[in-house]
Amino acid sequence: MTVTTTMDNNSNNRPLMSFVVTYHNEDTTMLKECVTSILNLSLSRVEREIIVVDDGSDVCPMNELMEYGDDVIYIRKPNGGLGSARNLGITVANGTYMQFVDADDYLLTTEYEHCLDVARYKEPDMVMFNFTRNSKVGHNMAIIEDSPVAGVDFMRNHNLRGTSCGYLFRKDVLHNLRFPNDIVHEDEEFTPQLVLRCERIFSLGCVAYFYRGHSERITTNNDKRWKVKRLDDTETVIMRLHRRADTLPYEERQAMKRRVAQLTMDYLHNIIVLTMSKRFLNERIEALEREGLFPLPAKAYTKKYLMFSRLVRTSIGRNILLAALPFISHRK
């Protein structure tokens, strides 16, 4: 195992893939399963690097990683949150392409090989794939679309999953883009900006990532202050992306506006489910109105979006949503 706290870029012998595994107090058995899933891929040692960024865990996992020898680069840093851990991984990574993996998740070998083939032979800027919480999921080998799409076209015509673990991407596309360090939901601010920088995106149907579901998910944590913090940070992301859209060329601005509208719908949906408070909902809507983010654009992005945007405009519609959505959510 290589232990480092410095950057060592060797552009003359650049690996194909850098896997940045972010770790903070997860079960080390899961961490090892994660690392093993990467080692099981058809990448030689010179084709890949595995960077484990320990974001100030209570107990250092170094002993558990010793068995991997020089196959793992281990970096320990003071706790600063997931965004800062990923940013450090970006700094250290030498690979042509990057993949973020949370330490308690893992890659599905057969399906991820399909993504690697695209990286090897199709010169993508980004390869998107699906994830699952079902450990018994069968192989799902989707056919690649004949032509890649530009990020602006993808965002104008598709919903976007914000999670940064849902794709591999060419590191050079980043330029100065980094994760914000001051909020949760850092993926939601990072991903749409990255997608807009991509000219060649392949969106695959293969299920290549196993996501365990983390204990502090917004829909399951009952701490009210924690919920409000999550909602506040979502609002911050929406405001930042909205203001960012105003600086973009027309086509990119329209793509970002769609993403902002979808995030705003999800934000209002979560307010209803988590607080079940009409007063709180109305206060947040008034804040969105002041920024020109409400009413939601009357666009047929999806059937769900169109129906929600119509209902949330009126007091009667909000009453319907407040009565129905918490019930539906708790049944899932």
Side-chain angles (χ1 to χ4, degrees), residues 62-159:
M62 188 182 300
N63 289 340
E64 285 76 9
L65 294 174
M66 290 297 292
E67 66 185 78
Y68 297 109
D70 290 338
D71 284 319
V72 171
I73 300 169
Y74 172 79
I75 306 171
R76 182 171 172 85
K77 61 180 285 296
N79 178 248
L82 185 56
S84 68
R86 287 176 175 160
N87 287 340
L88 180 55
I90 290 170
T91 300
V92 173
N94 293 304
T96 301
Y97 292 95
M98 292 191 63
Q99 173 71 58
F100 295 112
V101 191
D102 291 341
D104 50 354
D105 300 335
Y106 58 84
L107 302 178
L108 299 174
T109 305
T110 303
E111 289 75 12
Y112 197 83
E113 289 288 353
H114 193 45
C115 304
L116 288 177
D117 283 343
V118 178
R120 287 179 174 121
Y121 306 119
K122 298 289 185 175
E123 298 184 351
D125 290 327
M126 178 179 285
V127 181
M128 296 178 172
F129 47 81
N130 294 328
F131 62 89
T132 182
R133 294 188 179 96
N134 181 5
S135 60
K136 298 180 180 179
V137 66
H139 296 320
N140 179 4
M141 299 299 288
I143 298 174
I144 305 172
E145 295 182 10
D146 289 337
S147 301
V149 297
V152 61
D153 294 325
F154 185 89
M155 280 180 57
R156 287 191 68 180
N157 295 290
H158 298 85
N159 286 347

Side-chain angles (χ1 to χ4, degrees), residues 39-305:
L39 291 173
N40 286 339
L41 298 169
S42 63
L43 292 165
S44 67
R45 180 173 290 186
V46 297
E47 290 180 304
R48 54 111 170 101
E49 61 181 6
I50 303 172
I51 304 165
V52 175
V53 182
D54 177 0
D55 187 36
S57 295
D58 296 337
V59 178
C60 173
M62 188 182 300
N63 289 340
E64 285 76 9
L65 294 174
M66 290 297 292
E67 66 185 78
Y68 297 109
D70 290 338
D71 284 319
V72 171
I73 300 169
Y74 172 79
I75 306 171
R76 182 171 172 85
K77 61 180 285 296
N79 178 248
L82 185 56
S84 68
R86 287 176 175 160
N87 287 340
L88 180 55
I90 290 170
T91 300
V92 173
N94 293 304
T96 301
Y97 292 95
M98 292 191 63
Q99 173 71 58
F100 295 112
V101 191
D102 291 341
D104 50 354
D105 300 335
Y106 58 84
L107 302 178
L108 299 174
T109 305
T110 303
E111 289 75 12
Y112 197 83
E113 289 288 353
H114 193 45
C115 304
L116 288 177
D117 283 343
V118 178
R120 287 179 174 121
Y121 306 119
K122 298 289 185 175
E123 298 184 351
D125 290 327
M126 178 179 285
V127 181
M128 296 178 172
F129 47 81
N130 294 328
F131 62 89
T132 182
R133 294 188 179 96
N134 181 5
S135 60
K136 298 180 180 179
V137 66
H139 296 320
N140 179 4
M141 299 299 288
I143 298 174
I144 305 172
E145 295 182 10
D146 289 337
S147 301
V149 297
V152 61
D153 294 325
F154 185 89
M155 280 180 57
R156 287 191 68 180
N157 295 290
H158 298 85
N159 286 347
L160 184 68
R161 290 195 310 272
T163 174
S164 62
C165 295
Y167 49 82
L168 64 85
F169 64 96
R170 187 184 297 273
K171 184 184 179 184
D172 291 348
V173 173
L174 282 173
H175 299 293
N176 63 344
L177 179 63
R178 295 295 185 269
F179 289 92
N181 292 327
D182 57 337
I183 57 171
V184 294
H185 296 307
E186 63 284 321
D187 296 42
E188 295 289 5
E189 185 170 341
F190 176 87
T191 295
Q193 295 184 77
L194 177 60
V195 169
L196 285 180
R197 295 170 185 234
C198 296
E199 295 295 329
R200 292 173 56 82
I201 294 178
F202 289 88
S203 180
L204 311 185
C206 58
V207 179
Y209 188 99
F210 180 76
Y211 171 71
R212 293 185 190 274
H214 308 297
S215 61
E216 292 190 340
R217 288 174 56 211
I218 189 168
T219 55
T220 59
N221 194 299
N222 291 318
D223 187 311
K224 289 184 178 180
R225 289 177 299 178
W226 188 89
K227 288 179 179 179
V228 171
K229 164 64 175 171
R230 285 272 175 165
L231 292 171
D232 286 346
D233 284 354
T234 301
E235 184 181 69
T236 297
V237 170
I238 290 168
M239 298 298 183
R240 287 176 178 174
L241 292 179
H242 173 60
R243 291 161 187 161
R244 172 65 177 160
D246 291 337
T247 69
L248 299 174
Y250 178 79
E251 296 293 334
E252 294 184 16
R253 188 186 317 138
Q254 297 310 305
M256 186 64 84
K257 283 185 175 180
R258 169 171 177 156
R259 183 58 187 159
V260 168
Q262 290 170 324
L263 283 174
T264 305
M265 181 195 74
D266 291 341
Y267 169 60
L268 295 174
H269 178 281
N270 283 332
I271 289 173
I272 292 169
V273 171
L274 294 174
T275 72
M276 294 181 284
S277 167
K278 188 172 184 178
R279 180 187 60 80
F280 192 86
L281 175 62
N282 287 338
E283 288 175 356
R284 292 302 175 107
I285 285 175
E286 289 173 4
L288 292 172
E289 279 184 310
R290 289 193 292 270
E291 293 290 330
L293 288 164
F294 192 87
L296 293 171
K299 302 282 188 179
Y301 294 140
T302 65
K303 290 181 180 179
K304 177 182 176 182
Y305 172 87

Side-chain angles (χ1 to χ4, degrees), residues 305-318:
Y305 172 87
L306 188 59
M307 181 179 295
F308 185 94
S309 64
R310 288 172 175 171
L311 285 172
V312 80
R313 282 172 179 257
T314 68
S315 179
I316 294 174
R318 291 172 202 172

